[in-house]
Amino acid sequence: MTDFSTLSLADAAAGLKKKDFTATELAEFTVREAEAAQGALNCFTLIDGERAMRMARASDERLSSGNGRALEGVPIAMKDLFAVEGVEMTASSNILKGFTPTYESTVSQNLWDAGAVFFAKTSMDEFAMGSSNETAASGAVVNPWRAKGSDERLVPGGSSGGSASALAAGISYGATGTDTGGSIRQPAAFTGLVGAKPTYGRCSRWGVVAFASSLDHPGPLTRTVRDNAILMQHMASPDPKDSTSYTGEVPDFAAAVGKSVKGLKIGIPSEYRVEGMPGEIETLWSQGREWLEAAGCEIVDISLPMTKYALPAYYIIAPAEASSNLARYDGMRYGQRVEGEDLIDTYEKSRAAGFGKEVQRRIMIGTYVLSAGYYDAYYLKALKVRRRILEDFNAAFEKVDAILTPTTPSAAFGIGSKAKASPIEMYLNDIFTVTANIAGIPAMSVPAGLDKSGLPLGLQVITRALDEETMFSVGAALEDSAGFSARPEKWWA
Amino acid sequence: MPLDTADYTYRIPGQTGDWEIVVGLEVHAQVRSKSKLFSGASTEFGAAPNSHVSLVDAAMPGMLPVINEECVAQAVRTGLGLNAKINRFSRFDRKNYFYPDLPQGYQISQFEFPIVGEGEIECERDDGSRFTVGIERLHLEQDAGKSIHDLDPNATYVDLNRSGVALMEIVSRPHLRSPGDAAAYVRTLRTIVRYLDTCGGDMEKGQMRADVNVSVCKPGAYEKFRESGDFSHLGTRCEIKNVNSLRFIQQAIEYEAQRQIDLLEDGGKVIQQTRLFDANTGVTRAMRSKEEAHDYRYFPDPDLLPLKLEEAFIETLKAGLPELPAEKRERFVSRLGLSEYDASVLAADKDRADYFEKVIEGRDAKLAANWVNNELFGRLNKEGLSITESPVGPQQLGKLVKLIEEDVISGKIAKEVFEILWDEGGDPEAIVEKKGLKQITDTGAIEKVVDDLIAQNPEQAAQVRDKPKAMGWFVGQVMKATGGKANPQAVNEILQKKLLG
């Protein structure tokens, strides 16, 4: 019998079509594994076995009549900020507790239209604000990976930590995430997965709880690069309901996987060599460079001079937008309300009770940088930096086809290990990933090796706007060379 | 703009001499459109509470605004009607503040880059004199919902039907110098948007509301401001929010100006603040001062792309614009030969102008204008009816005018017919026919009456030969004998011939 826990999405879809197994069997397995793992990993905000079985049976009917669609019968986990009609959506926040949308996000609708099966909502940092998934209202999510000889519980990264944790534990065949500053790529790197965000606007934001509108990118987490291309293909679409959606057609991403990278120019940006970066990361990066060279790529040293301003600019723009985006959670129409003495008191009590510390911190930062007298010094300046970063990338892409960097400055760290540190230390996790959000260009993390304690590390590929295909080709080349096949030892169930 | 077109005579006497006032207005005009500015929900007025609310209007998580092209077109049309610059590039910003009738926690508005820039309109006072007012800008924004405080002593209810309806905020320059001119300006704006059909203009339904900025200064200061553009020549202003009738606008300005003058003459200072006008007491009171003012934290809405208009889009809208009041008035004068006064009265209101243009189809315009302006409007005013409620329709009045024009009936008889039309309705021709009101133009018949009269009254006839003015007696007698139906002109001619020979 097939081991359902090691199947790739492509294999699962193919196996279903060949009738090696049924969608119902796959859904039963997935739900069972999810329920078994939840206690130890805490990666789901909700598991809906009933809906999964209903959708799986419908898929089986289609499959048996030969009408299976691309993802027919394949279980996909949904990060808890994609609205799924009739399923509670909290964005891992107390303020949305009990909120059930009457609408379906465009991305999830696209997946169901391709035949995918819903079975669970995955935990996340509250409102996608965080890099460790420790800020979720339902508590920290645990990484299935542990350091050699240690039982310390590690973070899966964030904010799409629930999706990463579940998938790394062999549950589900793909998961949706959103990436505002690295929230797909960083958890993917921490859990040995492939995580990508497409060009801004490829995946609609309609029905997705907003963190920072101009930086939010829905995207897929998967076990392989091919899976990633397939899943992204079925998440993306032009969407008239999202004014910032890209209106052009979605190319065949999977066709780019396995395409020769010979002759491609790969840029190595000197600015990504940051102080205090562990030697292992440096080594992995050099390794990646050699792999691509061996595959026929030409390596080019490049400069992205504005890189050092990216993180500060990001931590102005994102909180600014968030402070406004989260104003709607006021306890008036839906979600949690704590009655106060008057209107202002009710607002204050509701939002104090509903939002966690990190969310409150970012709302305050955002409110501050937009306020009269500070706008020019902070927000406007950050927008100027944003433009300069984009110009940096445009100049680089005159010379190269893709850029190779590490995904994160470290491997997964212990839960609570940064509790006493300044928030800045947590923010530094995004140092290599935020630039692609600021520029709105495609970027992916590919698992490339293990550090000395046996924890996964990722390499990042960044390409031109709308050139996801090159990203998938280069990502696949790295995946081939790395031959990453490590799995966490199953301790959680 | 020549300064002498403003109302200069408005002065408020004080202990320290005369004061002048300076007024600028921000008029919020609800855009006439089927659906809201950023959602597909209906804009229909008077529906059950919260029945026209989309997911976007209720600010559900993950909902996104999508611009309604018709609202953009309406704003451009209005901008063209204000003779204003249409900005090819404009942008939506978020104005952040918390209130239960503002579900998003921000209003989507245009702060830095409005869709319409500077313009100018010519306004008309009641006496027909005119003055121009500069328009600073027009921008699009969302309306808020409605908080209802009086349903329950312990709760406030919120109706989101209005939430997200498109508004045009039309900002004037501080070019208004009297309460009457401020009202005349708003009335002119209302006429223009009604002509354009871009806003209903009904202030009672809240389709138009004004924020009124008032300051006072000593004579001479305003001219210095106009020459230099330096606001420091003017007094500190107060903004009176949400005034919803022309009368209230005037009352609010009068009260506020006096309040400021009293304050200044007592040695006090005017504090820049937002005030509310209480229509029951006629008083304005402080809402919040500049220090307490909201910090709206405007920033570009990241959910929307900047609005870029194609020249062709603007040109198409321009080509489709209806004739505006000023153009219509000019045409009435130059092409129809109406007096300035008649033309102004008719063009000042779209419904009236439309009525009039139906009356004159194929008729003499001057005569028709006379009838519409005097007989019809006089009667409507007396009865307190609007033109759309007139019991006499334009086709009926048109036929009546034609009967006069073709000498079928005299003006005097026409008034009788008008009364019948007003009270009973019917077709003017049929009424004239049925009641035998046709004018006698048969000179033979009139001659016979005249001959008989002369024969019966030789003394009077002899008198006329000495004193031609005495002929009036004969005219009266002929009319009496013919039941008023004899053509007056024919009667005169025949009498002249027979009596004066």
Side-chain angles (χ1 to χ4, degrees), chain A residues 89 96 99 102-103 200 205-209 213-214 240-244 320-321 323-325 327-330 332-334 343 347 351 367 370-372 375 379, chain B residues 55-67 91 94 96-106 112 160 295-305:
Chain A
M89 172 172 75
L96 273 175
F99 175 76
T102 57
Y103 46 93
Y200 183 77
R205 294 183 297 111
W206 195 86
V208 182
V209 174
S213 314
S214 76
K241 291 188 286 190
D242 176 356
S243 309
T244 63
E321 292 182 11
S323 71
S324 177
N325 282 337
R328 65 187 57 198
Y329 308 110
D330 59 2
M332 293 294 138
R333 297 166 309 288
Y334 50 78
L343 177 62
Y347 278 145
R351 287 167 67 85
T367 304
L370 287 177
S371 57
Y375 182 89
Y379 185 73
Chain B
L55 295 167
V56 176
D57 306 325
M60 288 294 171
M63 289 301 104
L64 299 170
V66 176
I67 186 81
R91 197 181 66 194
R94 292 185 184 177
N96 295 282
Y97 66 95
F98 285 91
Y99 206 69
D101 60 22
L102 187 76
Q104 293 165 138
Y106 54 83
E112 216 182 328
L160 294 179
D295 182 352
Y296 290 120
R297 291 169 284 124
Y298 281 101
F299 76 108
D301 192 324
D303 287 333
L304 291 159
L305 301 175

Side-chain angles (χ1 to χ4, degrees), chain A residues 106-107 109-110 198 201-205 232-240 242 244-250 253:
Chain A
T106 300
V107 163
Q109 187 62 54
N110 287 347
R202 271 270 197 237
C203 291
S204 167
R205 294 183 297 111
M232 188 184 286
Q233 182 91 41
H234 295 289
M235 290 171 71
S237 68
D239 185 4
D242 176 356
T244 63
S245 157
Y246 178 65
T247 52
E249 284 306 304
V250 181
F253 294 137

